[in-house]
Amino acid sequence: MEKILEVKDLEVSFQTYGGSVKAVRGVSFDLHKGETLAIVGESGSGKSVTSQTIMKLIPMPPGQITGGKILFNGDDIVPKTDKEMEKIRGKEISMIFQDPMTSLNPTMKIGYQIMEGLIKHQNMSKQAAKQRAVELLSLVGIPMPEKRVNQYPHEFSGGMRQRAMIAIALAANPKLLIADEPTTALDVTIQAQILELMKDLQSKMDTSIIFITHDLGVVANVADRVAVMYAGQIVEMGTVDEIFYDPRHPYTWGLLASMPSVDNDDNQDLAAIPGTPPDLTNPPKGDAFAARNKYALAIDFEEEPPMYQISETHFAKTWLLHPDAPQVEPPDAVKKRIRQLSSTFKTPVLVKEDK
Amino acid sequence: MTDKLLEIKNLKQHFNIGKPNMVKAVDGVSFDIYRGETLGLVGESGCGKSTTGRSIIRLYDATDGQVLFNGEDVHGKKSAKELKKFNRKMQMIFQDPYASLNPRMTVSDIIAEGIDIHGLAKDKKERMEKVYALLETVGLNKEHANRYPHEFSGGQRQRIGIARALAVDPDFIIADEPISALDVSIQAQVVNLMKKLQREKGLTYLFIAHDLSMVKYISDRIGVMYFGKLVELATADDLYNNPMHPYTQSLLSAIPLPDPETERTRKRKSYDPKSHNYGDNEKLEMREIAPGHFVYCSEKEEKQYKAQYIK
């Protein structure tokens, strides 16, 4: 499959009075055409910063890309100027934000907010753009689009606003769509509708999607592949089946075990992950997750674990996969879901860094 | 489980009465909460679940109906003294731990505010001891007492909110979406804490949320609200295994589960209130379909639901 995006060893930091915060610490991933990659992690894990860096939306300064490459269609976008980025944003890569209340302009009609991109990127006339805006609104399932196009955001409900946001993002047929928690502010019933809409549009337009969320239920619904982020690094990455049925990293175990499942016994305590994420001004030595990890080995506090490969598509960054590591049992809630996947290698292979 | 702590009878909460923009946020809701149980209240935003919680604790004056707490009407006429006594027994935990703590007060003052108002501590020393004990109960420590809210993370702030609610030794706590602003890994910590406190102190909870899987986990019984009305009320397991009202079915079919295989085969049901086809003279009320399982329906539907019900 054709690679549309390659992120290589991306490092982003923010200069603050308290020192430099290393928000993203060496993130690498690929994205294929028509694929959905979900990035999961808690707040502060660097998932939003990673995606905003791809669009170069982080304020610089205080933000700074301190290393790595972002190849979009083979072209590195890190050295690009703001002027050059304007040609990419909205046209090649667009974004749906979490909060539809604050990301639409309250003083502009919905129709005009959709037309903006069309007029700028596709040199459409005003009339043609308006025509297209009406089409887009009906595409995202808004009834009476001819009337809605002339309304302001406050006349839309939350779910409708998020649909309008999607229409804006899709206006110029982007190759890559970044959705940063697009359904977190919505009700479950509306969330299900929006997710169905996004999947439907993706199959029609063959867009690649980076879907950022902390809801593992949503991930299971939309993703082809999943990257789990912790403290600015990807700690585990694999296809959706590999992450949910054969997770290898203790942090992924923790996330899966801390969610109540509908058919679970309610008398047991949830397996919460103790503590809070580390301060990234001074990332801890060794494995950043070690302090919260009951499976931590002595080496976790000394040396950062390397990436191990478990199958063609499955990677995990933990010392537990080292041949000398002790055998550990994942939490009960995780053991219940584990299945043997045919694509798994016999033993995990250390990924050699090409430097 | 027969001891009723709270009886809500035909509670109504209307806003902007007599104006064209009148809203019937809560429109005739009745249910009981038994001592020591957790009642979950779910529904989409705007269905009136938070308003119900706030009317129960008298943050709003109810338009109509009764809230009986230990047999006494909360909304009845009360002297300041009686009201104070009642306030001690009922407390609330709010959704947004960033907005519900006064940023200009230290943690010890926030927690001890109730202690001061109700005169629960004889002197400064006892007051501080109580604060320290509360901090420990909720999993924080003594050193945190002199800090300000901005120095804490979301999960820690929610713990402070819980400590504040516990300070006056209440019987009943209304938790209005206490975990929806928190990260997944922290949500489990707070829910475990609430369960532990319930076991130790025999608390009764009204747990308002829209995250259905968490509500199922924490609640003994669940009420489903739709447009200001309670449409179904049953034990947690019964509601999940035997949802009767079409709205409950649609709500349950929309919960995303962390399991890719079930997600691939998911069939979502949608709910259209018109599908009931109620006639003009059909009487709609809560009817008991099976022991402890109530559905808001007409007489005709009652028969239909009873036939459908799987034992």
Side-chain angles (χ1 to χ4, degrees), chain A residues 42-43 187 191-193 196 214 217 220-221 240-241 244-245 260 262 266 268-270 273-275 292 337 339, chain B residues 44-45 183-186 188-189 192 195 213-214 216-217 240 251 254 256-261 263-264 268:
Chain A
E42 343 187 12
S43 8
D187 281 315
Q191 165 172 290
Q193 290 171 14
E196 265 165 37
H214 61 252
N221 184 294
V240 67
D241 285 15
F244 282 92
Y245 299 134
V262 167
D266 302 344
Q268 278 176 351
D269 264 4
L270 291 175
I273 305 176
R292 300 174 71 189
R337 38 171 82 240
R339 335 184 158 164
Chain B
E44 4 192 332
S45 33
D183 267 315
V184 200
S185 75
I186 312 294
Q189 290 178 11
N192 282 345
K195 278 206 139 184
S213 40
M214 209 46 113
K216 153 86 169 43
Y217 173 73
Y240 270 78
L251 203 59
L257 297 173
D259 186 350
E261 233 154 61
E263 284 302 318
R264 272 175 221 137
R268 195 165 58 81

Side-chain angles (χ1 to χ4, degrees), chain B residues 70-81:
Chain B
N70 268 334
E72 219 178 307
D73 192 4
V74 171
H75 287 277
K77 272 218 173 91
K78 279 202 170 80
S79 66
K81 208 173 144 195

